Amino acid sequence: MAEREKILRYYRASGDEAIAAQLLDLAENTLRSRKYKISDFLDPYGFTIAETIVAHYDGRLVLQALGGYEDAERNKAVFISNDYLGKVDSPLAALQISWDGRYDHLSHRDVLGALIGLGIKREVFGDILMQGEQCQVIVDRALASFILENLTDVGSARVSVAEIALTDIVAPEKKVKEIKTTVASLRLDVIAAAGFGVSRSRMADEIAADKVKVNWQSAKSSAQTVKQGDVLSMRGRGRVEVCEIIGQTKKGRTSIFLKRFI
Protein backbone atom coordinates (compact mmCIF):
# COMPACT_ATOMS: atom_id res chain seq x y z
CA MET A 1 0.00 0.00 0.00
CA ALA A 2 2.89 2.33 0.71
CA GLU A 3 4.22 1.91 -2.84
CA ARG A 4 0.76 2.52 -4.29
CA GLU A 5 0.33 5.75 -2.35
CA LYS A 6 3.83 6.86 -3.33
CA ILE A 7 3.01 6.41 -7.03
CA LEU A 8 -0.38 8.10 -6.71
CA ARG A 9 1.13 11.03 -4.85
CA TYR A 10 3.71 11.49 -7.61
CA TYR A 11 1.07 11.62 -10.36
CA ARG A 12 -1.41 13.63 -8.28
CA ALA A 13 0.71 16.73 -8.77
CA SER A 14 0.43 16.52 -12.57
CA GLY A 15 -3.29 15.68 -12.57
CA ASP A 16 -2.74 12.09 -13.71
CA GLU A 17 -3.78 10.33 -10.50
CA ALA A 18 -6.90 8.77 -12.08
CA ILE A 19 -5.09 6.98 -14.89
CA ALA A 20 -2.31 5.95 -12.50
CA ALA A 21 -4.93 4.43 -10.15
CA GLN A 22 -6.55 2.50 -13.01
CA LEU A 23 -3.22 1.07 -14.10
CA LEU A 24 -2.25 0.23 -10.52
CA ASP A 25 -5.51 -1.70 -10.15
CA LEU A 26 -4.66 -3.73 -13.27
CA ALA A 27 -1.15 -4.42 -12.02
CA GLU A 28 -2.39 -5.56 -8.60
CA ASN A 29 -5.13 -7.72 -10.15
CA THR A 30 -2.50 -9.33 -12.38
CA LEU A 31 -0.43 -10.29 -9.36
CA ARG A 32 -3.47 -11.78 -7.63
CA SER A 33 -4.63 -13.75 -10.67
CA ARG A 34 -1.10 -14.73 -11.76
CA LYS A 35 -2.22 -14.24 -15.35
CA TYR A 36 -2.50 -10.95 -17.25
CA LYS A 37 -4.65 -7.83 -17.50
CA ILE A 38 -4.98 -5.39 -20.39
CA SER A 39 -5.62 -1.65 -20.20
CA ASP A 40 -7.52 0.64 -22.53
CA PHE A 41 -5.52 2.35 -25.27
CA LEU A 42 -2.96 4.75 -23.82
CA ASP A 43 -1.11 7.64 -25.38
CA PRO A 44 2.71 7.48 -25.04
CA TYR A 45 2.64 9.41 -21.77
CA GLY A 46 0.06 7.03 -20.31
CA PHE A 47 2.25 4.11 -21.30
CA THR A 48 5.19 5.64 -19.43
CA ILE A 49 2.99 5.59 -16.31
CA ALA A 50 2.47 1.85 -16.86
CA GLU A 51 6.25 1.43 -17.20
CA THR A 52 6.81 3.31 -13.94
CA ILE A 53 4.31 1.08 -12.15
CA VAL A 54 5.86 -2.16 -13.41
CA ALA A 55 9.30 -0.93 -12.32
CA HIS A 56 8.02 -0.76 -8.72
CA TYR A 57 7.14 -4.47 -8.62
CA ASP A 58 10.69 -5.86 -8.51
CA GLY A 59 10.47 -8.07 -11.58
CA ARG A 60 7.16 -9.72 -10.65
CA LEU A 61 5.44 -8.18 -13.68
CA VAL A 62 6.26 -7.91 -17.37
CA LEU A 63 4.83 -5.15 -19.55
CA GLN A 64 3.92 -5.53 -23.22
CA ALA A 65 2.51 -3.02 -25.69
CA LEU A 66 -0.41 -3.90 -27.96
CA GLY A 67 -1.10 -1.33 -30.67
CA GLY A 68 -1.81 -3.47 -33.72
CA TYR A 69 1.51 -2.83 -35.46
CA GLU A 70 5.12 -2.10 -34.61
CA ASP A 71 5.79 1.43 -33.37
CA ALA A 72 2.11 2.24 -32.86
CA GLU A 73 1.63 5.53 -31.02
CA ARG A 74 -1.39 4.47 -28.97
CA ASN A 75 -1.02 1.12 -27.22
CA LYS A 76 -2.78 -1.06 -24.70
CA ALA A 77 -0.59 -1.92 -21.73
CA VAL A 78 -0.50 -5.65 -20.99
CA PHE A 79 0.51 -6.47 -17.42
CA ILE A 80 1.73 -10.08 -17.31
CA SER A 81 2.60 -12.05 -14.19
CA ASN A 82 6.03 -13.64 -14.26
CA ASP A 83 4.29 -16.86 -13.21
CA TYR A 84 2.12 -16.90 -16.34
CA LEU A 85 3.41 -19.10 -19.14
CA GLY A 86 0.38 -18.97 -21.42
CA LYS A 87 -0.45 -16.83 -24.44
CA VAL A 88 -1.91 -13.33 -24.35
CA ASP A 89 -5.09 -13.23 -26.44
CA SER A 90 -5.14 -10.04 -28.49
CA PRO A 91 -8.31 -7.96 -28.02
CA LEU A 92 -7.61 -5.90 -31.16
CA ALA A 93 -9.31 -5.60 -34.53
CA ALA A 94 -8.51 -3.43 -37.53
CA LEU A 95 -11.07 -1.59 -39.66
CA GLN A 96 -10.62 0.04 -43.05
CA ILE A 97 -12.74 3.10 -43.79
CA SER A 98 -13.03 4.14 -47.45
CA TRP A 99 -14.60 7.09 -49.32
CA ASP A 100 -14.71 8.58 -52.79
CA GLY A 101 -11.65 10.77 -53.06
CA ARG A 102 -13.00 12.56 -56.12
CA TYR A 103 -15.49 14.41 -53.99
CA ASP A 104 -14.29 14.20 -50.40
CA HIS A 105 -10.98 14.90 -48.70
CA LEU A 106 -11.06 13.69 -45.13
CA SER A 107 -8.54 14.33 -42.36
CA HIS A 108 -7.49 12.51 -39.22
CA ARG A 109 -9.63 14.95 -37.24
CA ASP A 110 -12.69 14.17 -39.39
CA VAL A 111 -12.41 10.43 -38.73
CA LEU A 112 -11.69 10.96 -35.04
CA GLY A 113 -14.73 13.21 -34.71
CA ALA A 114 -16.99 10.71 -36.49
CA LEU A 115 -15.96 7.88 -34.17
CA ILE A 116 -16.43 9.97 -31.05
CA GLY A 117 -19.75 11.13 -32.51
CA LEU A 118 -20.92 7.51 -32.30
CA GLY A 119 -20.48 7.73 -28.53
CA ILE A 120 -17.17 5.85 -28.53
CA LYS A 121 -14.62 6.93 -25.95
CA ARG A 122 -11.13 7.76 -27.20
CA GLU A 123 -9.68 5.15 -24.85
CA VAL A 124 -11.17 2.23 -26.80
CA PHE A 125 -9.60 2.80 -30.19
CA GLY A 126 -6.00 3.26 -31.14
CA ASP A 127 -4.17 4.81 -34.05
CA ILE A 128 -5.95 6.25 -37.08
CA LEU A 129 -3.73 5.75 -40.12
CA MET A 130 -4.65 8.04 -43.01
CA GLN A 131 -3.97 6.66 -46.50
CA GLY A 132 -5.39 8.93 -49.18
CA GLU A 133 -8.94 7.78 -49.97
CA GLN A 134 -9.08 5.46 -46.99
CA CYS A 135 -7.79 4.99 -43.48
CA GLN A 136 -7.19 2.15 -41.08
CA VAL A 137 -8.26 2.23 -37.44
CA ILE A 138 -7.22 -0.12 -34.65
CA VAL A 139 -10.08 -0.78 -32.23
CA ASP A 140 -11.18 -3.03 -29.40
CA ARG A 141 -12.53 -6.20 -30.99
CA ALA A 142 -15.69 -5.86 -28.89
CA LEU A 143 -16.44 -2.58 -30.70
CA ALA A 144 -15.72 -3.68 -34.25
CA SER A 145 -19.22 -4.87 -35.13
CA PHE A 146 -20.79 -1.72 -33.68
CA ILE A 147 -18.62 0.50 -35.86
CA LEU A 148 -19.21 -1.68 -38.91
CA GLU A 149 -22.96 -1.29 -38.48
CA ASN A 150 -23.14 2.37 -37.47
CA LEU A 151 -20.36 4.33 -39.17
CA THR A 152 -21.89 5.37 -42.48
CA ASP A 153 -20.75 8.99 -42.72
CA VAL A 154 -17.66 10.99 -41.87
CA GLY A 155 -18.63 14.63 -42.06
CA SER A 156 -20.58 15.00 -45.31
CA ALA A 157 -18.84 12.00 -46.92
CA ARG A 158 -20.44 8.61 -47.29
CA VAL A 159 -18.04 5.89 -46.18
CA SER A 160 -17.80 2.12 -46.27
CA VAL A 161 -16.22 0.15 -43.44
CA ALA A 162 -14.69 -3.33 -43.59
CA GLU A 163 -12.74 -5.41 -41.12
CA ILE A 164 -9.22 -6.36 -42.18
CA ALA A 165 -6.56 -8.59 -40.67
CA LEU A 166 -4.08 -6.99 -38.30
CA THR A 167 -1.36 -8.20 -40.66
CA ASP A 168 -2.86 -5.95 -43.37
CA ILE A 169 -2.23 -2.78 -41.37
CA VAL A 170 0.03 -0.46 -43.34
CA ALA A 171 2.36 1.29 -40.91
CA PRO A 172 3.01 4.94 -41.77
CA GLU A 173 6.29 5.72 -43.46
CA LYS A 174 8.67 7.45 -41.09
CA LYS A 175 9.95 10.75 -42.39
CA VAL A 176 12.60 12.28 -40.18
CA LYS A 177 14.27 15.66 -40.57
CA GLU A 178 17.37 16.32 -38.50
CA ILE A 179 17.82 19.88 -37.28
CA LYS A 180 21.02 21.28 -35.79
CA THR A 181 20.71 24.91 -34.77
CA THR A 182 21.34 27.43 -32.01
CA VAL A 183 18.69 29.14 -29.91
CA ALA A 184 18.61 32.04 -27.50
CA SER A 185 17.00 29.99 -24.71
CA LEU A 186 15.34 26.66 -23.91
CA ARG A 187 11.86 28.17 -23.69
CA LEU A 188 9.16 26.04 -25.29
CA ASP A 189 8.15 28.66 -27.86
CA VAL A 190 11.79 29.07 -28.96
CA ILE A 191 12.54 25.34 -29.30
CA ALA A 192 9.19 24.50 -30.93
CA ALA A 193 9.55 27.37 -33.41
CA ALA A 194 12.98 26.03 -34.43
CA GLY A 195 11.70 22.46 -34.71
CA PHE A 196 8.51 23.14 -36.64
CA GLY A 197 9.94 25.94 -38.77
CA VAL A 198 7.55 28.73 -37.79
CA SER A 199 8.02 32.13 -36.18
CA ARG A 200 8.25 32.41 -32.41
CA SER A 201 5.21 34.69 -32.28
CA ARG A 202 3.10 32.21 -34.22
CA MET A 203 4.29 29.38 -32.00
CA ALA A 204 3.30 31.38 -28.92
CA ASP A 205 -0.20 31.71 -30.42
CA GLU A 206 -0.36 27.96 -31.12
CA ILE A 207 0.67 27.18 -27.54
CA ALA A 208 -1.95 29.59 -26.17
CA ALA A 209 -4.56 27.84 -28.35
CA ASP A 210 -3.61 24.48 -26.75
CA LYS A 211 -2.31 23.05 -30.03
CA VAL A 212 1.09 22.10 -28.61
CA LYS A 213 1.91 19.31 -26.18
CA VAL A 214 5.06 18.40 -24.29
CA ASN A 215 5.44 14.65 -23.72
CA TRP A 216 1.78 14.29 -24.73
CA GLN A 217 0.58 16.68 -22.04
CA SER A 218 -0.82 20.14 -22.77
CA ALA A 219 1.88 22.79 -22.67
CA LYS A 220 1.75 24.94 -19.53
CA SER A 221 2.98 28.12 -21.20
CA SER A 222 5.31 29.45 -23.87
CA ALA A 223 7.90 30.10 -21.17
CA GLN A 224 8.16 26.58 -19.79
CA THR A 225 11.63 25.07 -20.07
CA VAL A 226 12.31 22.23 -22.49
CA LYS A 227 14.86 19.57 -21.59
CA GLN A 228 16.76 16.88 -23.46
CA GLY A 229 14.55 13.89 -24.28
CA ASP A 230 11.30 15.88 -24.41
CA VAL A 231 8.90 15.24 -27.27
CA LEU A 232 6.95 18.22 -28.60
CA SER A 233 3.85 17.63 -30.69
CA MET A 234 1.84 20.18 -32.64
CA ARG A 235 -1.62 19.52 -34.00
CA GLY A 236 -1.36 18.79 -37.72
CA ARG A 237 2.42 19.25 -37.82
CA GLY A 238 3.85 16.05 -36.34
CA ARG A 239 6.40 15.72 -33.54
CA VAL A 240 9.81 17.08 -32.63
CA GLU A 241 12.19 15.20 -30.34
CA VAL A 242 14.80 17.15 -28.41
CA CYS A 243 17.65 14.69 -28.97
CA GLU A 244 20.54 16.63 -27.52
CA ILE A 245 21.25 19.93 -25.84
CA ILE A 246 24.88 20.29 -26.88
CA GLY A 247 25.97 23.36 -24.95
CA GLN A 248 26.75 27.04 -25.11
CA THR A 249 28.34 28.73 -28.11
CA LYS A 250 30.90 31.52 -27.82
CA LYS A 251 28.12 34.02 -28.46
CA GLY A 252 26.07 32.72 -25.52
CA ARG A 253 23.47 30.82 -27.54
CA THR A 254 22.56 27.19 -26.93
CA SER A 255 23.39 24.58 -29.55
CA ILE A 256 20.70 21.88 -29.94
CA PHE A 257 20.01 18.80 -32.05
CA LEU A 258 16.37 18.03 -32.92
CA LYS A 259 14.57 15.38 -34.94
CA ARG A 260 11.27 16.23 -36.57
CA PHE A 261 8.93 13.34 -37.38
CA ILE A 262 6.52 14.31 -40.12
Side-chain angles (χ1 to χ4, degrees), residues 113-185:
L115 290 169
I116 292 177
L118 291 177
I120 301 172
K121 294 182 179 180
R122 187 64 182 98
E123 293 80 9
V124 293
F125 60 96
D127 287 357
I128 300 172
L129 306 174
M130 303 303 295
Q131 299 163 351
E133 299 179 2
Q134 64 184 31
C135 71
Q136 296 175 338
V137 186
I138 296 88
V139 302
D140 264 317
R141 176 163 295 284
L143 269 180
S145 59
F146 174 81
I147 296 173
L148 285 165
E149 293 172 6
N150 292 280
L151 186 63
T152 57
D153 301 276
V154 175
S156 60
R158 297 289 293 179
V159 299
S160 59
V161 186
E163 185 169 354
I164 61 173
L166 292 173
T167 53
D168 291 333
I169 294 172
V170 180
E173 180 183 355
K174 288 186 177 180
K175 297 180 181 179
V176 182
K177 179 181 179 181
E178 294 186 351
I179 302 167
K180 292 182 179 179
T181 188
T182 62
V183 292
S185 74

Side-chain angles (χ1 to χ4, degrees), residues 63-225:
L63 182 66
Q64 288 185 5
L66 276 181
Y69 67 99
E70 189 175 357
D71 294 329
E73 182 168 295
R74 294 178 61 83
N75 287 280
K76 287 175 172 286
V78 187
F79 297 92
I80 307 170
S81 169
N82 254 345
D83 296 331
Y84 183 68
L85 302 177
K87 180 182 177 183
V88 174
D89 294 323
S90 173
L92 305 182
L95 301 178
Q96 187 158 289
I97 304 170
S98 305
W99 56 89
D100 193 333
R102 294 174 300 173
Y103 308 110
D104 300 294
H105 301 280
L106 301 181
S107 68
H108 183 283
R109 184 182 296 185
D110 294 326
V111 177
L112 175 63
L115 290 169
I116 292 177
L118 291 177
I120 301 172
K121 294 182 179 180
R122 187 64 182 98
E123 293 80 9
V124 293
F125 60 96
D127 287 357
I128 300 172
L129 306 174
M130 303 303 295
Q131 299 163 351
E133 299 179 2
Q134 64 184 31
C135 71
Q136 296 175 338
V137 186
I138 296 88
V139 302
D140 264 317
R141 176 163 295 284
L143 269 180
S145 59
F146 174 81
I147 296 173
L148 285 165
E149 293 172 6
N150 292 280
L151 186 63
T152 57
D153 301 276
V154 175
S156 60
R158 297 289 293 179
V159 299
S160 59
V161 186
E163 185 169 354
I164 61 173
L166 292 173
T167 53
D168 291 333
I169 294 172
V170 180
E173 180 183 355
K174 288 186 177 180
K175 297 180 181 179
V176 182
K177 179 181 179 181
E178 294 186 351
I179 302 167
K180 292 182 179 179
T181 188
T182 62
V183 292
S185 74
L186 296 178
R187 284 172 53 112
L188 174 60
D189 54 355
V190 174
I191 302 296
F196 290 108
V198 301
S199 69
R200 181 177 172 183
S201 60
R202 179 185 168 187
M203 183 53 63
D205 291 340
E206 299 287 3
I207 293 169
D210 198 25
K211 294 183 180 180
V212 178
K213 293 187 176 183
V214 180
N215 300 326
W216 292 275
Q217 293 183 294
S218 293
K220 297 182 179 70
S221 74
S222 291
Q224 77 180 79
T225 301

Side-chain angles (χ1 to χ4, degrees), residues 21-47:
Q22 292 172 18
L23 295 174
L24 277 165
D25 288 344
L26 290 174
E28 291 167 358
N29 287 338
T30 300
L31 289 174
R32 284 193 289 270
S33 70
R34 294 189 173 185
K35 294 182 179 180
Y36 65 87
K37 297 293 180 182
I38 304 176
S39 74
D40 287 336
F41 283 99
L42 304 169
D43 63 20
Y45 178 71
F47 199 83

Side-chain angles (χ1 to χ4, degrees), residues 4-16 45 52:
R4 179 185 178 93
E5 182 53 36
K6 179 180 177 181
I7 293 170
L8 290 178
R9 186 166 59 250
Y10 176 80
Y11 286 108
R12 191 172 297 142
S14 61
D16 299 301
Y45 178 71
T52 299

